[in-house]
Amino acid sequence: MTTSVICTQCGARNLATQAQCRRCKAPLGEEVVATATVRGTPTSTLLQERWAVLGLVRQDEGVRWQAGHDVERGSPVMIQLHQGAGEAMREVEGQARSFAELIHPGLLDVVGVVPGDEGVSVVMDWPSGARLDELLAARERVPLWVALALMQDLIEALRAMHGAGYRHGRLDASRVLVREQVDGRLGAALSGVWLGPDAPEPAQDYRAVARVFGQMLGVQERGPESDVAGMVLREIQGRVGEDAGAGIAGLVARMLAQDAAHSLINPREILGQIEALRASLDYEMMCAVEAGPFLRGSREDDEAARREEQPMSSVELSAFYIDRAPVSAAQFFRFASETGLKLDEEWYQFNAPRGAGELPVVHVTWREAYEYARWAGKRLPTEAEWEKAARGTDGRTYPWGDAPPNAELALYGENPAPGVPGERSAGRSPYGVEDMAGNVFEWVADWYEGTYYNEAPPRDPGGPRRGTRKVLRGGSFAHPEFALRCATRGRYEPGERRANHSFRCVWSLRDPQPR
């Protein structure tokens, strides 16, 4: 027997001294278990010779949540053990088998129901992703747009669960899996269900979602009487307009309300309010890019192509969200004000954060763009992510297709300054991303290397480990037509500033690593 820490994300066994999982790099909790090895899997219990019990995640009254591993499939599972015996457990078993027939993208599939000496174990599939509590422990918060999208997923899942006559009753961040491939994008799915008598009212589940939403925004409750709605408002003030901020805080307050006259428990109404709030967020909006392959680079027969854009090849990317528009001058000004970044007079010559704050910020270095992204809880896109968001999966030349640009599709040529993002909606990318060709030249995360495409990994490339210049993409208001091609690669030293240099951010479960 050995003392180990079991990763609840992938099931790997780690030394008790490790802070991160050796396999998936997820942060490790404090649960230390004594384990043996069965069929190569560290475990102390094996259910039906298939599901290995790896370690305790949480103990509630009468219910134990355990990380597990499917020995046959080699994949993680979550095991909900309902403790008890006799007729009560036979009722739990029957309900569990009935619940297993409920299929919904926001509910993790039940793959096994196993009665035993301690009670009934409900085994749920645990696909690739990250448990929300572990994700928040590593990153502290989730961008507002993503938090609203995940909240929407949870409400949809509860609507399906409640509609089938079930309740969750124990919903918190540890029961939420943020995963790829929820309707083709990053999304949230629920694990667990209330089985047995004394099921709570649906309102309890909706109150739990409101608290989880607050946690995603960085709210830390100090006790049951905490003003979660007020803390949410303080977290988002300045990032959104006053009306949007009040609307978000009001939604949280109504979902948390205890009295029937003021509480909001109608899922259709909650979903409608979330959709309306997301539509009002303007520059906080992000676009979902699904996981999967895309064609990167330029074809051999493309006469406009440079050698650095070749060879064209299929590259596999994990799912991510990308800002719909470049970061605005007003957003960057708030970042500078909160962090103490000194903006020189020349910055104000090119940016008017109060007079024309909706315009893309310009005259920023790569380091400033990088620091802004960290402050916002996001990061800069890799070259590959930027290119997929711009052109989709079919290898098109421009975001709108293969037709050459014109003034209705992009702002380019010899214009004196950037324009308001979104004014040329016909030029949007297949994912709805604005101004990926023209307007402003955008910093990305990668160092530039002219031969990188020949040696880059085929999945989630993070760029070279080192270099002297950083890549920019998309061309700008001052660039010729050639620079607007999705495959065109620009490069500047990271400390340089230009009147057309800007950026946008992305968010994903894991950060691609340079190699």
Side-chain angles (χ1 to χ4, degrees):
M1 303 287 282
T2 58
T3 301
S4 309
V5 178
I6 302 302
C7 176
T8 57
Q9 174 57 41
C10 71
R13 180 169 55 177
N14 299 270
L15 296 176
T17 56
Q18 291 176 219
Q20 285 187 327
C21 174
R22 60 181 174 79
R23 179 188 296 165
C24 71
K25 307 305 180 185
L28 295 173
E30 298 179 354
E31 182 63 31
V32 179
V33 296
T35 64
T37 299
V38 177
R39 297 184 185 176
T41 301
T43 182
S44 55
T45 305
L46 198 65
L47 302 175
Q48 289 188 346
E49 294 297 311
R50 177 176 176 182
W51 296 292
V53 180
L54 299 180
L56 180 68
V57 174
R58 179 164 176 162
Q59 176 71 57
D60 291 326
E61 184 177 353
V63 179
R64 182 188 302 162
W65 300 78
Q66 300 164 304
H69 190 76
D70 188 327
V71 175
E72 289 184 7
R73 296 172 55 193
S75 59
V77 294
M78 182 66 74
I79 301 169
Q80 183 183 12
L81 171 62
H82 291 260
Q83 297 166 299
E87 185 62 33
M89 286 301 101
R90 282 189 284 275
E91 180 183 353
V92 165
E93 181 183 352
Q95 291 179 354
R97 295 191 186 281
S98 177
F99 180 73
E101 298 176 2
L102 179 60
I103 305 299
H104 186 275
L107 298 173
L108 296 181
D109 294 338
V110 175
V111 295
V113 178
V114 185
D117 294 338
E118 290 189 79
V120 176
S121 293
V122 181
V123 185
M124 288 158 284
D125 189 27
W126 196 260
S128 176
R131 221 174 67 198
L132 182 58
D133 61 329
E134 294 178 334
L135 187 66
L136 294 176
R139 300 194 185 179
E140 297 184 359
R141 70 185 67 225
V142 171
L144 175 58
W145 178 266
V146 178
L148 284 169
L150 299 181
M151 183 186 190
Q152 193 171 31
D153 292 336
L154 296 179
I155 298 298
E156 290 279 15
L158 288 176
R159 179 162 71 164
M161 180 182 282
H162 294 167
Y166 297 96
R167 308 288 184 265
H168 193 286
R170 302 178 179 90
L171 199 159
D172 63 21
S174 70
R175 281 67 184 266
V176 177
L177 177 68
V178 184
R179 54 175 290 210
E180 293 183 354
Q181 306 299 359
V182 174
D183 291 335
R185 58 168 175 81
L186 278 173
L190 274 175
S191 68
V193 61
W194 187 283
L195 300 175
D198 305 321
E201 292 298 315
Q204 179 174 323
D205 286 340
Y206 295 124
R207 284 194 287 269
V209 171
R211 289 193 171 89
V212 168
F213 175 71
Q215 292 167 13
M216 286 193 280
L217 298 181
V219 167
Q220 296 183 358
E221 295 184 54
R222 308 260 186 250
E225 302 303 318
S226 296
D227 178 15
V228 176
M231 289 189 284
V232 164
L233 183 59
R234 286 191 289 275
E235 287 290 341
I236 62 178
Q237 273 181 333
R239 296 177 187 262
V240 299
E242 290 185 9
D243 290 345
I248 292 169
L251 173 61
V252 171
R254 290 189 64 196
M255 291 176 66
L256 288 170
Q258 296 285 344
D259 60 299
H262 297 93
S263 64
L264 179 58
I265 60 172
N266 184 322
R268 181 174 298 177
E269 187 177 350
I270 295 172
L271 291 168
Q273 289 198 26
I274 293 174
E275 197 59 45
L277 288 168
R278 293 178 75 193
S280 71
L281 290 183
D282 295 328
Y283 290 94
E284 287 290 325
M285 286 187 179
M286 303 185 79
C287 298
V289 179
E290 81 282 357
F294 83 105
L295 290 175
R296 178 181 66 179
S298 295
R299 299 182 303 274
E300 292 290 338
D301 61 355
D302 185 348
E303 295 181 358
R306 292 173 172 170
R307 184 170 297 178
E308 64 190 17
E309 303 166 11
Q310 295 171 337
M312 175 176 270
S313 60
S314 178
V315 175
E316 186 89 15
L317 295 184
S318 301
F320 60 96
Y321 282 93
I322 186 167
D323 288 345
R324 188 192 66 168
V327 171
S328 71
Q331 288 174 304
F332 192 86
F333 182 75
R334 181 171 184 264
F335 154 72
S337 300
E338 289 195 6
T339 61
L341 175 66
K342 184 174 178 58
L343 301 173
D344 58 25
E345 292 184 7
E346 195 172 11
W347 188 89
Y348 287 98
Q349 292 176 12
F350 294 105
N351 297 278
R354 294 189 178 92
E358 74 278 9
L359 292 175
V361 65
V362 293
H363 198 65
V364 291
T365 66
W366 181 90
R367 174 57 62 177
E368 289 167 347
Y370 172 84
E371 293 296 344
Y372 173 95
R374 289 185 60 190
W375 170 82
K378 306 176 188 179
R379 60 177 173 82
L380 293 179
T382 64
E383 263 202 282
E385 288 170 335
W386 190 99
E387 188 168 329
K388 182 176 181 179
R391 75 193 311 182
T393 61
D394 57 9
R396 62 184 60 189
T397 305
Y398 301 100
W400 54 83
D402 292 323
N406 59 50
E408 294 183 357
L409 297 170
L411 183 66
Y412 69 105
E414 297 181 359
N415 290 280
V420 176
E423 288 188 336
R424 295 162 180 80
S425 59
R428 289 175 183 158
S429 85
Y431 299 105
V433 190
E434 306 280 6
D435 292 353
M436 295 294 270
N439 205 3
V440 285
F441 211 18
E442 299 181 17
W443 291 112
V444 297
D446 300 29
W447 289 107
Y448 172 77
E449 171 56 60
T451 60
Y452 179 66
Y453 287 7
N454 293 312
E455 57 200 41
R459 180 176 177 84
D460 291 325
R465 286 187 178 274
R466 58 186 63 86
T468 59
R469 291 173 291 178
K470 288 289 188 178
V471 175
L472 296 100
R473 289 298 202 112
S476 76
F477 59 85
H479 275 98
E481 178 179 318
F482 168 83
L484 274 60
R485 298 162 58 255
C486 294
T488 300
R489 307 172 68 198
R491 59 270 194 186
Y492 276 83
E493 292 183 4
E496 290 189 75
R497 303 177 187 273
R498 292 290 185 273
N500 60 348
H501 285 187
S502 188
F503 66 99
R504 71 180 78 214
C505 305
V506 299
W507 187 87
S508 64
L509 286 181
R510 296 177 183 86
D511 299 346
Q513 298 301 310
R515 303 180 190 179

